[in-house]
Amino acid sequence: MKMLNLVETTADWLKGDDAQENSIVLSSRMRLARNLVGYAFPTWAKKAEREKVLSVVMPVVLELSPMESPLVAESMESFSVLDKQILVEQHLISREHAAKAGGSGVVVSHDRSLSIMIDEEDHLRMQAFKPGLQLDAVWKMINKVDDDLDEKLHFAFSDRYGYLTACPTNVGTGMRASAMLHLPALVLADQINQIVQAVGKLGLAVRGLYGEGTEALGNLFQVSNQMTLGESEEEIIERLNKVITQIVEHEENARATLLEKSPRVVADQVGRAYGILSHCRSISSKEALNLLSLIRLGMEMGIFAKEASAIVSDLMIVTQPAHLQFHCEQKLSAEDRDGLRADLIREKLSVLKRPDMSLVKPIKKGKQDE
């Protein structure tokens, strides 16, 4: 029952911002890594020491004002494998944290805008989320949480190096700022690799849907900073904002070019996606996400009504394997999950009006030479 509230609704930040100007940037996330003085890093600590850290940190986290009525506040050993996977699919914990048991925990705020992992790779991994491109706002939010915790917990800090972390790549600010972008036009135009390479040269990373080492399913890409040492938080955020704004401009230009020069290609891709999703009887998670991405693109190009946005955002979460199994209340084989996923998608999409393909002009018949 502890997962019921998580799977019944979709968090606002996961839905993205429906405003047209922010439709490409679905969400902003800020993560801070912190460790306590006098305790070994979690990956080196024995279970008894991890449990001690958990007993020290958990009560302090629960005193934070955003955690007044937490949606989740548990030790990882109290979750089933399915529960953990649901938390991963909702981006509230990492895949690495899902593998943890005794001596680790997680606290999630009621609105799911704040998630704090205890004894993951570091003693604390704090994450704050907001819809759209709101890096400054999400930094203000997580910085307040960090200040409040710092008053009661003694964080490991060096005047020379900054915050000390288990992984050297996080030393300094301990901050990872990122935004989730929907970039289907750049993928269709075969320009995405150029963007990824250019972003890498600027000291930023482009990752998949679930972060490092994952695939960019549904044309969703995470763009984040790689450097945490030698720059202030404000400098990192400023640079990331500039780069993301440029990527958004490239995506907008790619969409405009596709509509102008290849409207039939756009209509074909979106129409095929709608046809498959509306009539499929079995579909994998990967294929579903990729086709739902095209439905969302169609909505943003006027092929579908705006109501498609909420439906697609919801389907991108509820069709994930753990969510399907939770609602079915039994363990499902991959074949059963693919069938249930198809049934759910057909049901949800049935309320949509058929796509408006008026952007495609008919080919005019010319007179044959006499």
Side-chain angles (χ1 to χ4, degrees):
M1 291 297 292
K2 69 181 70 171
M3 290 292 107
L4 190 58
N5 288 333
L6 276 175
V7 298
E8 280 186 334
T9 58
T10 303
D12 289 342
W13 69 268
L14 276 171
K15 296 176 184 177
D17 194 324
D18 289 334
Q20 182 63 32
E21 61 270 22
N22 289 325
S23 62
I24 294 170
V25 184
L26 301 190
S27 62
S28 300
R29 184 192 76 157
M30 199 73 64
R31 191 209 74 197
L32 295 180
R34 298 289 186 261
N35 289 281
L36 307 186
V37 170
Y39 296 92
F41 292 132
T43 50
W44 289 90
K46 294 182 179 179
K47 183 179 179 181
E49 189 170 12
R50 295 197 307 273
E51 288 178 337
K52 174 63 177 177
V53 170
L54 181 63
S55 69
V56 169
V57 172
M58 181 75 85
V60 177
V61 169
L62 290 172
E63 289 177 3
L64 295 168
S65 56
M67 299 300 193
E68 186 175 347
S69 300
L71 193 61
V72 176
E74 303 284 346
S75 166
M76 295 307 293
E77 63 185 347
S78 69
F79 295 112
S80 68
V81 173
L82 183 62
D83 292 340
K84 292 176 180 179
Q85 188 57 35
I86 287 172
L87 290 167
V88 171
E89 290 176 358
Q90 296 222 2
H91 301 266
L92 295 172
I93 65 171
S94 64
R95 294 175 299 165
E96 292 76 14
H97 203 51
K100 303 289 179 135
S104 297
V106 62
V107 183
V108 179
S109 65
H110 189 74
D111 63 357
R112 283 175 278 185
S113 64
L114 180 65
S115 169
I116 298 181
M117 293 178 280
I118 303 171
D119 281 341
E120 192 230 31
E121 184 178 55
D122 296 287
H123 294 141
L124 289 104
R125 284 283 178 97
M126 300 172 268
Q127 302 182 106
F129 312 88
K130 281 188 178 293
L133 183 55
Q134 299 191 69
L135 290 173
D136 293 308
V138 81
W139 162 241
K140 182 178 180 181
M141 176 183 171
I142 198 70
N143 191 38
K144 175 67 166 58
V145 170
D146 186 36
D147 288 344
D148 290 345
L149 290 175
D150 195 28
E151 290 181 0
K152 298 183 178 180
L153 299 172
H154 189 189
F155 292 148
F157 183 84
S158 163
D159 291 335
R160 181 176 181 182
Y161 297 111
Y163 289 100
L164 304 180
T165 57
C167 180
T169 60
N170 291 320
V171 170
T173 60
M175 184 181 82
R176 281 282 186 272
S178 66
M180 183 80 75
L181 284 74
H182 183 227
L183 306 175
L186 287 172
V187 173
L188 283 174
D190 201 23
Q191 297 175 17
I192 193 65
N193 288 336
Q194 298 170 242
I195 297 295
V196 171
Q197 290 172 10
V199 169
K201 291 177 181 177
L202 295 172
L204 302 177
V206 181
R207 298 186 172 96
L209 179 59
Y210 292 104
E212 188 172 0
T214 64
E215 191 176 354
L217 299 172
N219 299 313
L220 296 172
F221 298 83
Q222 287 187 36
V223 181
S224 64
N225 64 297
Q226 291 195 89
M227 295 178 59
T228 59
L229 185 63
E231 287 185 300
S232 68
E233 292 89 347
E234 291 75 14
E235 288 172 332
I236 292 171
I237 292 169
E238 181 181 4
R239 184 157 53 91
L240 190 56
N241 264 321
K242 288 180 179 178
V243 171
I244 290 171
T245 300
Q246 291 173 348
I247 295 174
V248 169
E249 290 177 0
H250 285 298
E251 173 68 17
E252 289 173 341
N253 290 337
R255 293 182 184 189
T257 300
L258 284 171
L259 279 178
E260 179 185 355
K261 297 183 177 180
S262 307
R264 191 171 291 272
V265 171
V266 174
D268 182 67
Q269 290 285 326
V270 174
R272 286 172 185 268
Y274 176 74
I276 292 171
L277 292 173
S278 297
H279 296 91
C280 65
R281 293 299 186 271
S282 179
I283 191 167
S284 68
S285 177
K286 179 178 179 179
E287 184 181 10
L289 283 172
N290 289 334
L291 294 177
L292 286 168
S293 165
L294 292 170
I295 299 295
R296 184 181 181 93
L297 176 65
M299 180 274 296
E300 290 164 359
M301 288 185 162
I303 297 174
F304 291 101
K306 287 289 185 180
E307 64 194 38
S309 178
I311 294 173
V312 170
S313 296
D314 183 50
L315 282 173
M316 282 185 160
I317 299 299
V318 301
T319 58
Q320 295 300 296
H323 282 72
L324 288 174
Q325 291 201 167
F326 182 89
H327 281 297
C328 199
E329 297 183 346
Q330 61 177 306
K331 188 173 182 179
L332 300 171
S333 66
E335 183 180 355
D336 288 338
R337 287 199 305 270
D338 290 350
L340 181 59
R341 182 179 295 110
D343 294 343
L344 182 59
I345 290 172
R346 290 198 324 276
E347 177 188 348
K348 294 279 188 179
L349 291 185
S350 65
V351 302
L352 288 183
K353 294 181 181 178
R354 292 178 64 84
D356 175 10
M357 295 300 185
S358 59
L359 62 93
V360 180
K361 306 302 180 186
I363 298 174
K364 294 181 180 179
K365 296 180 180 179
K367 292 183 179 181
Q368 293 184 349
D369 294 336
E370 294 181 358

